[in-house]
Each structure stands twice: as structure tokens, then as C-alpha cells.
Amino acid sequence: MEGDPDKEGSDGFRWDSDEEEGPRNIPALACLSPIVPVGEDGAGGGELSDGFHWDSEEEEDEKAPKLPSSSCLYSRDGVGKAVVDPGEASSSAGPSNTKMISEFVVMGFPRERVIKAIEENGESNTEAILETLLTYSALEESPPEQKHAVPNLSSSESAGDIFNEFSDVDSDLGTEENMDPLSEKENTLKLLVDMGYPIYEASIAMDRCGEDASIAEITDFICAAQMAKAADAHLAEPTYSPSSDEEERKPNGICFAPPKNNKRRFFEEEERRRRKREKRFEKKVFDEDGGVLSLPKPMIGFGIPSEPRPIIRRTLPQAAIGPPYFYYENVALAPKGVWQTISSFLYEIMPEFVDSKFFSAAARKRGYVHNLPLENRTPLLPIPPQTIHEALPLTKKFWPHWDGRTKLNCVQTCTASAKLTERIRKALEDYDDEPPLKVQKWVIDECKKWNLVWVGRHKTAPLEPDEIESLLGFPKNHTRGGGICRTERLKGLGNSFQVDTVAYHLSVLKDMFPNGINVLSLFSGIGGAEVALYRLGIPLKNVVSVEISESSRNIFRSWWESTNQKGNLIDINDVHLLDANMLEKLINSTGGFDLIIGGSPCNNISGSNRVSRDGLEGKESSLFFDYFRILNQVKFIMGKS
DNA sequence: AAAACTCGGATACGCAAG
DNA sequence: CTTGCGTATCCGAGTTTT
């Protein structure tokens, strides 16, 4: 079972390299600087890796005046001079962009710091601003100011895993001018960071080496860990056995289970194919260019029902391990760097990218970051129709042979105009069944673009809401009636989970929670997560659901009532209401959450958006940081008790 | 307020050629 | 292995009409 030491691969999917950055779990509920991707295995470092290098830099080129590279804490060559000056620089002349300030303030950062960070980084470099703010919190242990009460971190000695790494750090809530002098540990940490070590690695190393370890011991430890990681990087061999040093592995280590077949030839064949596949995946998921994301092909995540069994195993970082379980979703084809940022905020867990075309008759490419086990998944039954013709039998009769689609494209919130289907009809009416190739091509292009189906001779149509309901795995009429107009139905559906896909991932919870679970559901929409759990037969005890759309809340609640749920549904209309205070009350009254699930708004991330595809900092999509915040707050509060 | 309509970009992939 | 070009995809936004 022992793999070749030099090939042993726990992290087939590393996307960062030997200079990973990515501290996490900082008491302030804020964490860390996102990973700085650099060259692979030290070899590809080259010119690309000089200096700070992630996507924000490219943005600067276009949108912002050039900023000095020192604006970034973790520069590669400049080796992490903390540019943050924790002193009291008076900042009366704040940036003009008050909107930006308030956005950061809403995220929980103190106003003064926001202003300072903006001054340091320039208004347009939001990534760097965020990083600076997080670094303030990391290095100064002053948690972002909460609008309401926040758990008292000074008692974090007893906190759960999430804060253990910094557990001896006192924090003085909200009083910036009243900062305690740095403790010895903090000083050491700061020193290591100044020396250029990633804060995350430094803090882990300090924990491992013990209280009174010397700097030399700690740096030795970090070097050893980095070498181990470099060795891992050579992996490409699927053989991996969990071993005693498992903890030392890259936290996001994911590996392939060893093949069981003993026949040499088959084994070798399998091996070759696997290596190839793995290499491709490894190389491409996040490349050194600052998060260019390339998705696994086929996009089957860590396994789909039609495969005999998942071929992937992974080890999660300690801090990511539940309770609670968490599950975060968003569109797979996000702009550069987005998934990398998401992942770096969520314990560097590799997103599971899945196209729901493997679960239904319609595509839906999504990434899921979660800490659920991967073994023993079971699909929702009955297996839904897998082709357009099975899903929409009435279309078969009119489907021209030259339209070769068997799967629909992604269901979106917008739908084709009647004008378009009219143009299509007219274009086809001039011919019999065999229009010229040019016309065929145009029609098919439009059909694909707008997900049209054939409902009559020469007649195409967009999907009806009830058809979308079943494609997405919802019960018929889930979104119908009760005062919900068609537009709202389509919008709610377009923004939803594909239930079968999510249920497949969540199915592992069934045996763990035979008596039901408590769910914190963020950005619930029309209740895809709950429908999935319900259809899996997992009783819902308490569901706290946050959803801003009134229509969606109504849809969800009427489903809840019509399915005679035994548990309690608490719905909240704004995620910002869910502060530490409220969470603590909810946790006390429910006994804690078993699952925190949600997909934050994608509209600033989705490829369909031509107007405001601003990435994670977009107006709506930045709510991801609330998912992150709430996850950490819940972990903290639950860890306390 | 809901429906209808117009607008049209970032990203990645496959392929051929250097 | 890299570069350039054509192609396919996409949980949308903004404005006008009903």
C-alpha cells in the first residue's frame, strides 16, 4: 500500500505552489490573505511569478493607475514586507468613494481601517484593499467591528478548532486605539511573516513546534513542510495510503484511491490513463497565472452516480472538518481568480466542479466547496430523464433531425423573446424539412443560446416554468401560484440548485442524521437545498433560511407547509441581520447547526452578465463574504459551547 | 408591476500552424 | 511547446411597452 515516497500524491490537485499563501482562521472572523499563485514546483516560476501576481494585477492594468507593488503584503520577491502600518495615521482626507467604504464596513471592517486601506492601495484595487484589511485583522487580532455584538474573542481559549491557532491571542473588541502590546507569540508570528513565510504556514508551524520553540526550529519546520509539499507535487501516482503524517499533508490534499485490480496489464493501462487525466487536471485547475481556472473534463466533480464509485479521496484541513458541515455553491465559469479566492476563504478546499447534465437533461456547470465525506453517495430516486426527448416527450415529434441536441443548456433567469421564435419560424417556413445549412446553423445557434425546444412544425419555444421545475428536480408546481408571477418563477428557478446534483452530494448525511438535521440555509432561494434533503428522506428539524426575495421566500414557505414538515422554519430576509448575536440565539435555541448550505448571488460572476460582471466584489456577489463570515461565526459559537 | 425586447463580453477550448 | 483564430457557453442588465 505504501506509495513511492517521492511520488506519493496526496495533493493531486494543488493549484498553489511552494510559496503558498493562505492563512486562515484568524480570530477576527476575518481571515487571511488569499493564496498567491505562483509558478509550479518552483520550475515554472519564471517571469510570471515575479512580484505579486494574481488577477488584481491585470485589472489594474485596465482600470486603475499603476500601483506600487508594495501595496501588496505578500509579494514574492519583496518577501512580504508588511506594508501595513498599524500606527495611527490620521486619515481625515478619506477617499471619495464612500460607497466602497460602506461596502467594506458592511463586511464588518472598522471604518477608519477601511479608509486607510483604500488610501494605501488605491480605490480601484479592491482585492488589495481587502487583503490589507484582512491582514490588519490577522496581525493585530482586532476583529472587524460588528454592527452588533460579537462573541467575545478574549475568551477564545476554549474556542473550537477554528480559532485554536490563535487561541492565546487576546482581542480587544472594537477598540483600536486601545490595542494591547503584541504577545510573544504574536511577535514571533509577525517576525516570521516579515521574514517572508506565509502567515498560515507560520502559525501552523508555531503550533506544531510548541510554545518555546526557537525561530530556527520553526523555520526548519516550515522548510520541511514545504519540501514535503514539493515532493507531493510530483505525485501523479495514484497510490496513496493514509499514513501517520497525514496531518502534515497539504490541507486540501485530494488523492486518488489506489486501484484494486491486480492484473498487471490492466493496472498499467489504468495507471497511464489515470496519470494523464490527473496531470491534466492538476496542471489546469488553477494555473500559475493568478487563477486561470480550467475545469475538469468531463466535469464530474468527485464522482457521479453512473461511475461505479468515486475515484477520489481527500484529506481536509483540520479546521475545515465539521461539525458543522458546510456546502457552498456558485457558477463554475467564473471570472479569473474567483474560485481561487472562494477556495482560499474556505480552507483552501478544492471546489467540486460538476455539470448537472450528468444528473438531468439540462447542463448546469457549478462549483461546490464543501466538507462532506465523498464516500457512499447515493443518487436521488427515481433517476430523472437524461435526455431532452425523455424529459419533454412532446417535443420529439417536431424535433428536426438536423438539430442534434440531446441535452439542454443551462437554465438561466432570462428567456427568449417571442420575436425570436417568430423569426425562426419565418426563416424555416420557406423550406420543407431541409433548410439550407446556413439557416440550420443560425436556428441551432439561437436554439442553443436561448434553450429553445421544438413544439410544432417550424415552431420553437422557450422552456415553460413547469418544465424547468422538473429539469431542476423540483416537484411540479413548486413555484406556481400563490401570487407568484411568471417572471418571478423563472427568476427563482434560474437562480436555483439542480436538486439531484446537490442531493447526491448531501446523501452522505442521511446515515449520519437519522433523527434529522438543523440547517442554516443562506441565500436559500426557492429552497433547493431543503427539497434535496427532503427528497433524500433526511428529516428537517430546524431550518433557518435567509433569502432576500419575497417571492422566493413565499415559494419556499408554501412548499414547507404543503409537505407537512414537522420541524420549524425560521426565515430571515437579509443576511446582514444574521449577526453573531442572532446566531448565538439561534444556536442556543436549536442546539446548533449541522449543515450550513448556500450559494451566494452569482450575477456579478456569471458569464451571462455583460454589464456588471465584476467578480466577487460585485454588488451582490460580494455576499459570498457573508457566507464566509457566518460560517466562521457559527463555528466559533458552536466551538465555545 | 409584469412582460417584452434589445444588447452583446469574458472565458476557455479545439485546432492548425509555427 | 507556444501562438493565433474560430467557436461555444452563460443562476443578466437596462430600457421600453403593455
Side-chain angles (χ1 to χ4, degrees):
Chain A
M1 281 285 283
E2 302 298 293
D4 251 12
D6 56 333
K7 292 180 178 174
E8 176 177 21
S10 67
D11 345 337
F13 303 124
R14 308 167 61 244
W15 61 80
D16 46 0
S17 72
D18 46 348
E19 270 191 71
E20 148 195 276
E21 316 283 351
R24 294 185 293 262
N25 311 334
I26 285 149
L29 308 175
C31 87
L32 65 25
S33 87
I35 297 168
V36 177
V38 289
E40 289 188 355
D41 306 332
E47 61 288 355
L48 276 179
S49 320
D50 283 336
F52 184 78
H53 208 92
W54 56 323
D55 50 329
S56 62
E57 198 171 63
E58 284 164 32
E59 283 167 28
E60 282 169 28
D61 288 341
E62 290 174 12
K63 305 196 266 194
K66 267 294 179 198
L67 295 164
S69 63
S70 67
S71 63
C72 306
L73 179 57
Y74 300 111
S75 69
R76 190 173 202 215
D77 45 342
V79 185
K81 261 296 181 199
V83 295
V84 178
D85 173 15
E88 298 324 279
S90 73
S91 50
S92 48
S96 56
N97 193 345
T98 51
K99 187 168 153 255
M100 174 181 270
I101 297 173
S102 57
E103 275 169 14
F104 281 112
V105 170
V106 163
M107 283 167 66
F109 296 105
R111 188 173 198 90
E112 274 187 33
R113 285 194 190 169
V114 172
I115 293 169
K116 206 158 85 176
I118 293 175
E119 279 175 357
E120 282 173 17
N121 295 288
E123 284 184 32
S124 37
N125 194 352
T126 37
E127 298 258 15
I129 295 166
L130 180 60
E131 190 178 359
T132 303
L133 287 168
L134 294 170
T135 308
Y136 282 140
S137 306
L139 294 179
E140 299 174 7
E141 310 81 40
S142 179
E145 172 188 281
Q146 297 296 314
K147 283 191 286 183
H148 307 274
V150 93
N152 184 352
L153 294 172
S154 56
S155 62
S156 59
E157 297 280 8
S158 56
D161 288 337
I162 184 82
F163 296 121
N164 276 349
E165 293 177 32
F166 294 85
S167 58
D168 54 348
V169 173
D170 287 330
S171 71
D172 198 344
L173 261 190
T175 53
E176 300 165 72
E177 62 284 344
N178 194 15
M179 218 85 75
D180 287 327
L182 295 182
S183 72
E184 200 175 318
K185 184 170 176 180
E186 294 163 296
N187 272 325
T188 310
L189 182 60
K190 196 160 186 303
L191 182 61
L192 289 164
V193 170
D194 282 345
M195 287 165 74
Y197 293 103
I199 188 169
Y200 175 59
E201 290 185 8
S203 100
I204 286 199
M206 285 169 61
D207 279 357
R208 296 285 164 74
C209 295
E211 288 281 315
D212 39 22
S214 68
I215 289 281
E217 285 174 284
I218 298 169
T219 53
D220 278 351
F221 182 95
I222 299 174
C223 288
Q226 288 180 343
M227 283 166 69
K229 278 200 309 196
D232 278 353
H234 291 120
L235 100 125
E237 293 294 319
T239 45
Y240 159 64
S241 59
S243 61
S244 54
D245 64 347
E246 192 157 317
E247 301 176 301
E248 307 295 331
R249 294 174 180 287
K250 182 82 180 18
N252 65 324
I254 298 171
C255 57
F256 289 93
K260 289 192 163 173
N261 200 306
N262 285 328
K263 294 183 178 170
R264 173 160 292 182
R265 181 168 291 173
F266 179 80
F267 179 88
E268 285 169 359
E269 270 291 301
E270 186 68 16
E271 190 87 348
R272 254 211 335 271
R273 283 193 298 139
R274 218 189 276 269
R275 282 180 68 148
K276 205 171 162 187
R277 204 163 48 198
E278 212 174 312
K279 206 169 173 182
R280 184 173 191 181
F281 198 121
E282 174 192 0
K283 185 167 188 296
K284 290 194 151 188
V285 166
F286 292 119
D287 80 3
E288 70 275 13
D289 198 16
V292 172
L293 164 78
S294 195
L295 302 150
K297 284 191 71 175
M299 200 187 281
I300 57 169
F302 303 152
I304 53 172
S306 55
E307 292 269 322
R309 49 180 296 167
I311 52 170
I312 292 168
R313 298 175 58 195
R314 63 173 178 181
T315 11
L316 294 168
Q318 198 62 36
I321 295 172
Y325 287 106
F326 71 89
Y327 189 87
Y328 174 81
E329 177 261 11
N330 215 320
V331 293
L333 285 87
K336 281 185 188 177
V338 165
W339 273 108
Q340 196 170 28
T341 306
I342 291 172
S343 176
S344 74
F345 275 79
L346 298 176
Y347 313 97
E348 292 173 35
I349 294 173
M350 164 67 75
E352 174 166 14
F353 291 110
V354 186
D355 189 341
S356 294
K357 75 178 182 186
F358 298 107
F359 290 83
S360 73
R364 203 166 188 81
K365 299 177 184 65
R366 295 293 179 270
Y368 307 89
V369 177
H370 62 82
N371 63 348
L372 295 164
L374 307 180
E375 296 83 29
N376 301 320
R377 290 172 166 180
T378 54
L380 219 48
L381 296 175
I383 304 288
Q386 298 292 304
T387 64
I388 299 174
H389 289 164
E390 289 166 33
L392 308 167
L394 294 178
T395 65
K396 191 171 181 179
K397 185 172 162 195
F398 303 106
W399 209 273
H401 67 89
W402 43 268
D403 181 349
R405 290 177 297 159
T406 57
K407 298 272 185 185
L408 291 161
N409 278 341
C410 183
V411 172
Q412 301 183 157
T413 54
C414 294
T415 181
S417 67
K419 276 270 195 296
L420 174 66
T421 55
E422 186 187 22
R423 282 201 295 272
I424 290 173
R425 179 171 56 78
K426 288 192 165 153
L428 293 173
E429 265 171 3
D430 302 339
Y431 313 96
D432 277 344
D433 290 333
E434 203 70 40
L437 285 177
K438 213 172 166 185
V439 176
Q440 286 181 21
K441 183 176 176 348
W442 176 73
V443 170
I444 289 178
D445 283 350
E446 293 300 321
C447 286
K448 285 179 178 171
K449 190 193 294 179
W450 293 104
N451 241 356
L452 303 176
V453 293
W454 296 92
V455 295
R457 186 171 156 83
H458 299 155
K459 207 164 74 159
T460 55
L463 294 166
E464 285 297 311
D466 66 309
E467 294 167 334
I468 299 176
E469 283 169 352
S470 70
L471 286 168
L472 293 179
F474 288 92
K476 272 261 156 49
N477 295 332
H478 181 74
T479 60
R480 187 180 184 189
I484 309 297
C485 70
R486 186 187 154 88
T487 310
E488 291 297 321
R489 286 182 82 182
L490 289 169
K491 201 169 166 194
L493 288 162
N495 283 316
S496 176
F497 288 165
Q498 206 286 330
V499 171
D500 300 87
T501 310
V502 171
Y504 184 60
H505 299 156
L506 298 180
S507 61
V508 297
L509 296 171
K510 185 165 184 179
D511 290 339
M512 290 186 237
F513 298 99
N515 299 320
I517 60 175
N518 290 329
V519 182
L520 175 55
S521 175
L522 304 177
F523 319 106
S524 318
I526 59 173
E530 291 76 9
V531 173
L533 291 165
Y534 175 72
R535 289 192 55 195
L536 284 165
I538 302 175
L540 298 164
K541 291 198 294 195
N542 294 286
V543 174
V544 175
S545 160
V546 182
E547 170 55 44
I548 195 144
S549 155
E550 193 188 349
S551 316
S552 293
R553 283 200 308 276
N554 288 338
I555 290 167
F556 182 25
R557 184 168 280 284
S558 66
W559 171 81
W560 181 270
E561 281 160 10
S562 58
T563 47
N564 297 317
Q565 296 290 332
K566 298 284 188 297
N568 305 307
L569 171 62
I570 299 169
D571 53 27
I572 297 170
N573 60 20
D574 184 352
V575 75
H576 295 118
L577 295 173
L578 205 56
D579 58 10
N581 209 6
M582 190 167 187
L583 284 168
E584 191 147 25
K585 282 182 189 149
L586 289 167
I587 288 167
N588 287 338
S589 65
T590 60
F593 294 111
D594 304 306
L595 174 68
I596 301 177
I597 186 166
S600 58
C602 71
N603 48 350
N604 305 121
I605 294 175
S606 161
S608 298
N609 187 344
R610 273 54 174 258
V611 181
S612 52
R613 196 183 188 191
D614 304 326
L616 264 192
E617 298 127 27
K619 195 160 170 285
E620 280 85 24
S621 294
S622 59
L623 291 176
F624 160 73
F625 296 107
D626 281 286
Y627 181 92
F628 161 77
R629 169 182 65 85
I630 289 166
L631 173 63
N632 278 309
Q633 285 175 328
V634 169
K635 290 191 91 154
F636 175 74
I637 295 166
M638 285 173 57
K640 241 178 6 177
S641 50

